[in-house]
Amino acid sequence: MKARYIRTSTLNQNEARQLAKQHADEVLFIDKVSGTIPFIDREHAKRLIDEIEVGQIDYLSVSSIDRLGRNTIDVLQTIDKLTKAGVVLKVDNLGLESLINGKENPTFK
């Protein structure tokens, strides 16, 4: 199943820009929380990880890499967790996927 993760920093911010490339078959996970909060500590990111761990999600889209977080180490750890779980991470503004045919994409890395 495909999913899309959306994060805005405040409740007042509009997520329309991040929804622009949404596909009808994507399940949405939306957090309204600062990017400084570790990915795994966010309410809907936790739910996303839970669904990944039980094999429900194998493809995840984000509008840009900073939606995963603002801390480089946290973002890299999140990407590593997704990769180890076999989840393809698609970053829309880069036009890149983390895995190609189940193997790490060297350009993404």
Side-chain angles (χ1 to χ4, degrees):
M1 182 182 335
K2 293 182 177 182
R4 177 168 293 273
Y5 181 74
I6 293 172
R7 180 188 62 78
T8 59
S9 297
T10 68
L11 295 174
N12 297 331
Q13 288 180 317
N14 187 331
E15 63 265 354
R17 176 185 62 83
Q18 296 180 63
L19 287 168
K21 294 202 175 199
Q22 177 196 5
H23 297 276
D25 61 346
E26 291 177 328
V27 176
L28 293 177
F29 293 85
I30 302 173
D31 277 317
K32 294 190 178 246
V33 62
S34 169
T36 62
I37 304 299
F39 189 80
I40 196 64
D41 292 340
R42 303 176 197 163
E43 179 183 357
H44 294 277
K46 281 183 194 178
R47 285 188 36 237
L48 171 62
I49 294 297
D50 288 345
E51 292 204 26
I52 287 169
E53 288 176 347
V54 296
Q56 293 296 313
I57 308 255
D58 60 5
Y59 192 97
L60 176 64
S61 297
V62 293
S63 65
S64 60
I65 202 75
D66 66 340
R67 299 302 86 200
L68 297 178
R70 296 284 183 187
N71 178 299
T72 303
I73 292 171
D74 182 52
V75 170
L76 291 172
Q77 288 173 339
T78 300
I79 292 170
D80 186 57
K81 185 174 193 70
L82 296 171
T83 300
K84 286 180 178 171
V87 174
V88 175
L89 174 62
K90 167 76 182 291
V91 181
D92 293 334
N93 72 334
L94 299 176
L96 292 174
E97 293 181 347
S98 61
L99 301 174
I100 298 174
N101 298 322
K103 296 183 180 172
E104 288 188 64
N105 177 350
T107 305
F108 185 93
K109 202 166 175 129

